[in-house]
Amino acid sequence: MIKLRRFLKPFLSGLLIAIALLFVQAICELNLPNLMSNIVNVGIQQGGVEDGTPEALSADSHTFVRTFMSEEDQALLYRSYVAVSETELSENGKPYSELYPNAMDTGVFALRTDISSEDRTKLDYTFGLTTWTIINALTQIQSQYDLVDESGKANALPVDVKSNGTGGPSDSADTVGLQNIDLDTLYELQPLLNSLPPAFFVDARNQAAQVDPNMREQSKTMLVAALYRELGVDMTALEIDYILKIGLLMLLITLVSGVATVLVSFFSTRIGAGVARDLRSAVFSRITSFSHGEFDRFSTASLITRSTNDVTQIQMVLTFGIRMICYAPIMGIGGTIMALQKSVSMSWIIGVGVVVLLCIIGTLMVVVLPKFRIMQTLVDRVNLVAREALSGLMVIRAFGRTDFEQQRFDEANSDLTRTTLFVNRAMTFLMPTMMLFMNGLSVLIIWVGAQHVAQSQMQVGDVMAYMQYVMQIITSFMFIAMIFVFVPRAQVSAQRIHEVLETVPAIVDPANPRHIDPESRGIVEFKNVSFRYEGADENALSNISFIARPGQTTAFIGSTGSGKSTIVNLIPRFYDVTAGSVLVGGVDVRELSQHELRGHIGYVPQKNVLLSGTIAENIAYGSLDSSAVNIAKAARIAQATEFIEEKTEGYDFEVAQGGSNVSGGQRQRLSIARALAIEPDIFLFDDSFSALDMKTDAALRRALSSVLADSTLIIVAQRVSTIRNADQIFVIDDGRIVGAGNHEELMRSCQPYYEIASSQLKGEELPSGGTGLAGEN
């Protein structure tokens, strides 16, 4: 994947935006459990009281709480609160008489608006400590003084205080019963409290300092709620307002998260599709620059798979991977931090969950990863077999091998199916396993969290939030693990694409190309040319030398595999010679640009290939600016006019891919017309008349000779009748020239040529004395 990173550069800005949006989405989703926790803890359990420091105190409560404070804390209280009148306006613009209607007669102390953050922090701690100092003091008073209510029952304290068995209050916030505080009764104890020695309160404060901080945090809000009720605050409205406020905030955050999700999907999809487009273009461009040697190295089926299936794998990884690779670590790290803020003592659950998850994913990776690599090879195999079967369907039917090819395809298809099913079953097994694991983890969190709640180490909302954070962490690790499952498959595809892109064509243009000499246009010369195919042990051609000139017809004939087509393929530089040189227009073809070289050549290959489009488009393929007159002229010379005009659409007849809806002879004539339309200096016909009947062959050769008098005509043929009128004929045998001359000369002097001619020509067309070599043997 790293080797293809250059294709990401055009989309770097989009990638950075997507990552930024992922951070926004992650922050939103990490805050939702915390807000939900606040609704449960503050909105429901604490009655909407957010802060442990009351915004106001009545004169009685100000005196009462001050009784339990140290001198330092009392000084803090004095400087933090200020007496206000009922006509004064609060910070929110309402008069204090409206906010606190029940206590204005006795006086109200409001929290200063200019209180420093340091004093505010100290005050929060002080009220938590004071709450438990009150509880400890009342517990001791209950045990030391005989307090009875009007009915004579003991424990007439206005706070439901229960012992923990050691003479002190219970450590559970639920058993403290602070919700039931009766402040008016507590105020009646003020004379008694004033009479108690300072050591009594010091001892109570020391005990309060030993209480769990979480317990103090929970208890002080209950005291504040009681103080607010005394002031006449509508606690029901306060609770509802808080829940609505946090709920609306959660909706807003969810909306922002949703928008970020949509935008991330937009950018990731755009990046994935853009990179895939550029990859396909780059692969196709590189493939079109390949010489025949590179096509011999890569099969056509493999190149098609690399251009489609492999590119699709890269696109999928980018589309989904941007989200997984970037989002999962953010959520994993952020979820861990948020979970630890809720409870450090339960962090072992995260460790257990991650370890078990990695074991599950690790096992899956060991089983599945090798199969991903095999799948791409099997896809190549299916494409290869299918392509061979479809392209060779006529041969398969002719030899009655349909069942064999069906079985061959079924075997390749079954291998791919078995591997795909194995991978899919393994991946399917992952989901229920993960659901079982995550549900089990949720049960474990609830069980452990319930114990923490019972011990007042956590609140219910914190347990709920902790469970969601752990699920986010586990999901993140699952995403990360899945990345390691899917990325290797994309890595295989990336490597296969990289092989194509990094393959340097054996045939490239020179840095400073020369140009064809106008005075030597059309001249083709071979100088001691030898050629060997890559990986071959012997030369395909050895010491080939000849000159083909304009106005002449040069022909090559020989047995199958003798090297005739190889000679023709060297002229347009489909291959480079191993030794010697090929000159076109007086310049070595290796010193010319491929575009200029091939612009002077009209090539008709041995296998005639037509492209999808109209007949006119196929004829004008090499010269897009050809006029209708030139197209018709090329078709007339190629003897294609008759069958074209027979079609209703004429030149607008749609040719199917590969020319499958026209006959072999028609394909051959259209291929010849295509070469004629560009009006080149050199014509190369590689056994291009084999599908023509003798009459059409003769008519075509007459037409060619009449209009191509100034062009160089090079023909490879199997039939002697096609080349018997050529100006020079070269007989090729085992990669060497074994005879050269015209037809009559070769019939007299070349035994291989005579043998070919005698097998094709009638007796009266052969010389009466046979070849001159016969008498010598």
Side-chain angles (χ1 to χ4, degrees):
M1 293 286 288
I2 296 177
K3 297 176 180 177
L4 301 178
R5 63 183 180 275
R6 68 179 184 273
F7 290 95
L8 268 175
K9 288 184 179 179
F11 307 96
L12 189 58
S13 58
L15 179 62
L16 294 176
I17 293 173
I19 293 174
L21 289 169
L22 285 173
F23 270 99
V24 172
Q25 181 186 353
I27 291 171
C28 290
E29 295 190 9
L30 286 171
N31 275 287
L32 288 176
N34 197 44
L35 292 173
M36 179 272 299
S37 172
N38 289 341
I39 287 180
V40 175
N41 293 340
V42 179
I44 298 175
Q45 287 188 302
Q46 298 174 193
V49 178
E50 302 179 58
D51 203 339
T53 300
E55 293 295 323
L57 294 169
S58 67
D60 291 337
S61 61
H62 188 276
T63 302
F64 180 76
V65 297
R66 192 171 67 246
T67 305
F68 298 90
M69 293 181 180
S70 65
E71 292 181 0
E72 182 181 353
D73 291 341
Q74 290 178 13
L76 176 64
L77 187 70
Y78 276 122
R79 68 172 180 266
S80 300
Y81 287 86
V82 60
V84 296
S85 65
E86 60 182 67
T87 59
E88 288 187 56
L89 298 179
S90 64
E91 189 178 2
N92 59 13
K94 293 183 178 180
Y96 284 104
S97 59
E98 183 180 338
L99 293 176
Y100 313 116
N102 293 353
M104 293 311 298
D105 295 338
T106 59
V108 172
F109 288 85
L111 188 65
R112 299 177 68 94
T113 57
D114 59 348
I115 185 173
S116 66
S117 58
E118 182 181 358
D119 282 352
R120 185 63 181 256
T121 302
K122 291 180 180 178
L123 204 57
D124 285 341
Y125 175 81
T126 297
F127 270 98
L129 188 67
T130 300
T131 300
W132 274 90
T133 302
I134 294 172
I135 295 172
N136 292 330
L138 293 178
T139 302
Q140 293 183 43
I141 291 173
Q142 178 179 263
S143 62
Q144 295 177 19
Y145 298 90
D146 185 16
L147 298 177
V148 295
D149 61 10
E150 295 177 356
S151 64
K153 294 182 179 181
N155 192 22
L157 289 176
V159 180
D160 296 336
V161 181
K162 296 183 181 180
S163 173
N164 61 5
T166 61
S170 169
D171 290 334
S172 172
D174 293 335
T175 60
V176 171
L178 289 175
Q179 302 95 325
N180 302 319
I181 292 178
D182 184 356
L183 291 178
D184 290 336
T185 305
L186 284 178
Y187 296 157
E188 294 176 0
L189 296 175
Q190 190 64 50
L192 174 61
L193 295 173
N194 292 338
S195 65
L196 294 174
F200 176 85
F201 296 103
V202 171
D203 181 59
R205 280 195 297 272
N206 290 336
Q207 292 183 36
Q210 303 301 317
V211 175
D212 184 88
N214 289 325
M215 173 71 78
R216 292 203 301 266
E217 288 294 318
Q218 296 176 45
S219 302
K220 68 181 180 182
T221 56
M222 297 178 186
L223 174 62
V224 172
L227 295 174
Y228 283 165
R229 282 193 295 272
E230 180 201 12
L231 292 170
V233 175
D234 187 348
M235 297 304 295
T236 301
L238 183 66
E239 180 177 349
I240 293 174
D241 288 346
Y242 180 84
I243 293 175
L244 287 176
K245 180 181 70 174
I246 300 301
L248 290 174
L249 181 59
M250 290 181 69
L251 287 175
L252 178 61
I253 290 175
T254 303
L255 178 62
V256 173
S257 176
V259 171
T261 302
V262 171
L263 291 176
V264 168
S265 298
F266 170 78
F267 282 107
S268 61
T269 303
R270 186 182 181 89
I271 292 170
V275 170
R277 176 200 62 206
D278 294 347
L279 275 175
R280 280 191 293 267
S281 297
V283 170
F284 183 78
S285 177
R286 180 50 56 93
I287 290 173
T288 55
S289 70
F290 282 174
S291 66
H292 282 49
E294 281 76 51
F295 280 108
D296 293 339
R297 174 183 169 189
F298 297 100
S299 69
T300 303
S302 178
L303 289 174
I304 292 173
T305 303
R306 293 170 198 242
S307 303
T308 53
N309 184 271
D310 287 338
V311 171
T312 301
Q313 292 296 326
I314 303 297
Q315 180 177 353
M316 289 179 61
V317 165
L318 286 175
T319 301
F320 298 106
I322 289 174
R323 182 179 180 84
M324 286 187 178
I325 295 173
C326 301
Y327 182 71
I330 298 171
M331 288 299 294
I333 296 172
T336 302
I337 294 172
M338 299 294 284
L340 292 177
Q341 288 179 351
K342 294 296 179 183
S343 175
V344 177
S345 60
M346 292 176 61
S347 58
W348 62 271
I349 297 177
I350 300 176
V352 170
V354 171
V355 170
V356 174
L357 174 68
L358 293 179
C359 289
I360 295 173
I361 300 297
T363 302
L364 184 70
M365 288 174 62
V366 170
V367 174
V368 170
L369 282 186
K371 298 296 182 180
F372 278 141
R373 297 185 178 93
I374 295 172
M375 280 179 63
Q376 295 304 110
T377 304
L378 293 176
V379 170
D380 278 355
R381 176 64 180 167
V382 169
N383 286 340
L384 175 64
V385 174
R387 186 173 181 275
E388 285 183 346
L390 294 175
S391 60
L393 194 59
M394 298 296 289
V395 176
I396 293 170
R397 289 174 177 174
F399 285 89
R401 300 290 285 174
T402 303
D403 292 340
F404 171 78
E405 290 298 327
Q406 182 66 49
Q407 180 182 356
R408 184 165 166 251
F409 179 81
D410 287 343
E411 289 177 358
N413 191 31
S414 297
D415 290 341
L416 177 60
T417 302
R418 280 194 297 270
T419 305
T420 304
L421 286 175
F422 179 87
V423 171
N424 289 340
R425 285 167 183 162
M427 299 303 294
T428 303
F429 170 78
L430 175 66
M431 190 52 63
T433 303
M434 291 303 304
M435 292 304 299
L436 177 63
F437 165 66
M438 294 177 75
N439 289 331
L441 199 62
S442 298
V443 172
L444 178 62
I445 292 171
I446 293 172
W447 181 66
V448 176
Q451 298 182 31
H452 282 66
V453 171
Q455 298 170 7
S456 297
Q457 296 178 358
M458 292 182 71
Q459 291 181 273
V460 175
D462 292 336
V463 174
M464 297 171 63
Y466 190 89
M467 183 164 57
Q468 291 190 40
Y469 285 131
V470 171
M471 292 302 104
Q472 289 176 344
I473 295 167
I474 296 302
T475 303
S476 299
F477 274 91
M478 185 170 65
F479 281 162
I480 293 172
M482 294 302 293
I483 290 170
F484 288 103
V485 173
F486 289 110
V487 166
R489 183 177 183 184
Q491 181 67 34
V492 173
S493 296
Q495 182 61 39
R496 286 158 52 86
I497 294 172
H498 186 256
E499 281 182 30
V500 175
L501 296 178
E502 292 302 308
T503 298
V504 179
I507 296 176
V508 295
D509 288 338
N512 298 302
R514 295 176 59 189
H515 300 285
I516 290 177
D517 184 358
E519 295 182 0
S520 302
R521 290 178 61 138
I523 298 177
V524 177
E525 182 178 1
F526 275 52
K527 290 184 176 181
N528 300 318
V529 170
S530 295
F531 175 75
R532 177 180 299 181
Y533 286 101
E534 183 178 356
D537 296 328
E538 298 179 355
N539 286 343
L541 297 175
S542 298
N543 298 320
I544 303 295
S545 296
F546 68 88
I547 298 178
R549 302 181 184 278
Q552 291 184 346
T553 299
T554 301
F556 295 90
I557 194 170
S559 59
T560 301
S562 60
K564 306 182 299 297
S565 294
T566 302
I567 292 175
V568 172
N569 287 333
L570 292 176
I571 298 172
R573 206 186 169 198
F574 292 152
Y575 297 96
D576 271 341
V577 298
T578 305
S581 59
V582 177
L583 280 67
V584 172
V587 182
D588 192 318
V589 295
R590 289 169 293 189
E591 299 177 4
L592 293 169
S593 70
Q594 297 175 67
H595 179 74
E596 180 178 358
L597 170 64
R598 292 165 187 170
H600 289 271
I601 297 174
Y603 175 64
V604 184
Q606 192 171 30
K607 182 180 179 181
N608 300 288
V609 177
L610 297 181
L611 304 174
S612 56
T614 64
I615 288 177
E617 290 170 345
N618 269 275
I619 294 175
Y621 187 75
S623 180
L624 299 179
D625 57 352
S626 292
S627 64
V629 175
N630 289 338
I631 292 173
K633 177 183 177 182
R636 185 177 66 255
I637 297 171
Q639 308 301 304
T641 303
E642 182 179 353
F643 81 83
I644 292 175
E645 292 179 347
E646 288 177 355
K647 298 184 181 297
T648 305
E649 301 89 342
Y651 286 92
D652 294 326
F653 176 77
E654 287 287 337
V655 178
Q657 181 181 2
S660 58
N661 58 343
V662 294
S663 68
Q666 291 171 347
R667 280 199 302 273
Q668 203 161 59
R669 279 176 277 176
L670 289 176
S671 296
I672 294 171
R674 181 172 58 196
L676 292 168
I678 65 175
E679 300 179 351
D681 302 325
I682 303 166
F683 284 93
L684 303 179
F685 294 99
D686 187 3
D687 200 14
S688 304
F689 307 99
S690 58
L692 304 179
D693 59 80
M694 301 296 291
K695 179 180 177 182
T696 304
D697 185 358
L700 175 60
R701 283 187 283 109
R702 285 195 302 270
L704 287 174
S705 62
S706 63
V707 299
L708 303 180
D710 296 330
S711 300
T712 302
L713 191 61
I714 298 177
I715 300 175
V716 169
Q718 297 285 354
R719 295 197 307 223
V720 172
S721 59
T722 301
I723 63 171
R724 65 184 300 169
N725 295 323
D727 297 289
Q728 54 180 349
I729 302 171
F730 295 94
V731 183
I732 309 299
D733 186 27
D734 197 21
R736 298 175 183 275
I737 295 177
V738 296
N742 57 33
H743 174 71
E744 290 75 13
E745 292 171 348
L746 290 173
M747 289 294 290
R748 292 192 300 271
S749 62
C750 183
Q751 180 71 25
Y753 185 82
Y754 181 82
E755 291 175 356
I756 296 172
S758 63
S759 67
Q760 298 179 15
L761 302 178
K762 297 177 181 179
E764 59 271 16
E765 296 178 296
L766 296 173
S768 56
T771 177
L773 297 176
E776 298 176 7
N777 293 337

